[in-house]
Amino acid sequence: MAVRMRLTRVGSKKNPIYRVVVADSRSPRDGRFIEIVGRYNPQTDPSTIDLDADKVKDWLAKGAQPSDPVARLIKAAGIEG
């Protein structure tokens, strides 16, 4: 099973807010996930990046692959994997 850390969209129409989730790579974008590890709100100034560092490090150690946007969020949050 290929596990990925990726964004799933929540929020209302034209008001995107994202959850950072750990999910099977075969599941749909807003579908089933394993665990929520953070959230990201691009609407605020500056953007809100709220990640649980312990959970992120744990999943990276287990072999979860972050998507490109999530990798940028992890780097911006200053979390070392």
Side-chain angles (χ1 to χ4, degrees), residues 50-66:
D50 181 24
L51 297 174
D52 187 334
D54 293 333
K55 288 182 182 179
V56 170
K57 288 178 186 177
D58 187 41
W59 278 106
L60 290 174
K62 289 179 184 177
Q65 295 294 313

Side-chain angles (χ1 to χ4, degrees), residues 1 7 12 15-16 26 29 31 33 36 40 43 55 57 59-60 62-63 66 69 71 75-78:
M1 179 169 88
L7 297 175
S12 58
N15 183 26
R26 298 170 293 184
R29 180 192 75 180
F33 58 86
I36 299 173
Y40 168 58
Q43 300 290 317
K55 288 182 182 179
K57 288 178 186 177
W59 278 106
L60 290 174
K62 289 179 184 177
K75 186 175 179 183

Side-chain angles (χ1 to χ4, degrees), residues 16-28:
I17 299 170
Y18 299 94
R19 286 183 185 152
V20 181
V21 299
V22 177
D24 185 337
S25 63
R26 298 170 293 184
S27 63

Side-chain angles (χ1 to χ4, degrees), residues 31-52:
R32 190 177 200 179
F33 58 86
I34 300 168
E35 185 176 18
I36 299 173
V37 296
R39 34 189 197 103
Y40 168 58
N41 186 355
Q43 300 290 317
T44 60
D45 188 30
S47 297
T48 305
I49 302 170
D50 181 24
L51 297 174
D52 187 334

